[in-house]
Amino acid sequence: GREAWADPSLGHRSVLCTPRDRDSARELALRIGRNVHLPATTLIPASLAPRYLDHLARVGEPARFGSVLVEATATAEAEIPGAILPGSLIRPQLVTEDESPSLYRLLVRFGETTGVPVLLSHDLSPDAASSVDPAARAVRILAEGRIDALIVGDRLVQRGNG
């Protein structure tokens, strides 16, 4: 794809899950065979960053790419417990409509559906040093029933029921 849906250093293909459950990021990492000690990136519409992130002005530009840890607000602790790391920190990637329109629309739609316009993202590589082809890995993980669906370009691909 042309859009990076996670920290650019992690690759361009990611698996997303809800942050509303405290254990969702760990469960997803286990499902896809990813190191559970590598934190998920929290995808947040940039306009809503102050709702979830404290002292953002001190961090600045790096928060756009999931490359820093930022203190969580009380709202984040309550609404997105799955994004909270030890020390009440979040690893955010701030998403703008201009830079990533498809991902931004997905976050908005998820927010309309759930009340929380935030998703967690794990790179499809099993670890940061892996050279595994993420697209081939995604198809295999889907075929094995470890994820529910894939979005490829503008298409939704789901595993058959039989």
Side-chain angles (χ1 to χ4, degrees):
R2 292 184 304 195
E3 292 180 356
W5 286 46
D7 178 352
S9 67
L10 295 178
H12 296 284
R13 290 165 182 79
S14 300
V15 180
L16 307 176
C17 70
T18 180
R20 297 180 309 142
D21 176 355
R22 182 165 305 283
D23 296 322
S24 58
R26 179 178 171 76
E27 290 173 14
L28 179 60
L30 290 170
R31 277 181 163 219
I32 66 171
R34 183 150 170 87
N35 182 334
V36 297
H37 301 293
L38 294 174
T41 300
T42 304
L43 305 173
I44 302 172
S47 61
L48 296 177
R51 177 178 176 175
Y52 299 107
L53 306 172
D54 263 343
H55 312 295
L56 190 58
R58 284 192 284 179
V59 177
E61 190 73 12
R64 291 182 47 230
F65 303 108
S67 58
V68 296
L69 297 177
V70 180
E71 293 175 50
T73 63
T75 300
E77 298 263 0
E79 291 184 6
I80 55 171
I84 308 301
L85 301 171
S88 192
L89 299 172
I90 294 177
R91 181 181 176 219
Q93 177 184 345
L94 304 184
V95 180
T96 65
E97 188 171 15
D98 290 343
E99 290 181 355
S100 191
S102 298
L103 180 56
Y104 183 85
R105 285 191 304 271
L106 178 64
L107 292 173
V108 168
R109 182 61 189 254
F110 188 74
E112 291 169 353
T113 303
T114 66
V116 179
V118 176
L119 286 166
L120 298 179
S121 171
H122 267 305
D123 183 44
L124 273 168
S125 299
D127 57 55
S130 178
S131 62
V132 173
D133 175 26
R137 189 160 193 272
V139 170
R140 188 180 81 244
I141 290 170
L142 177 68
E144 292 170 354
R146 295 190 281 157
I147 58 175
D148 299 322
L150 291 174
I151 296 175
V152 180
D154 62 352
R155 296 179 187 206
L156 176 66
V157 180
Q158 296 177 295
R159 197 168 80 99
N161 292 335

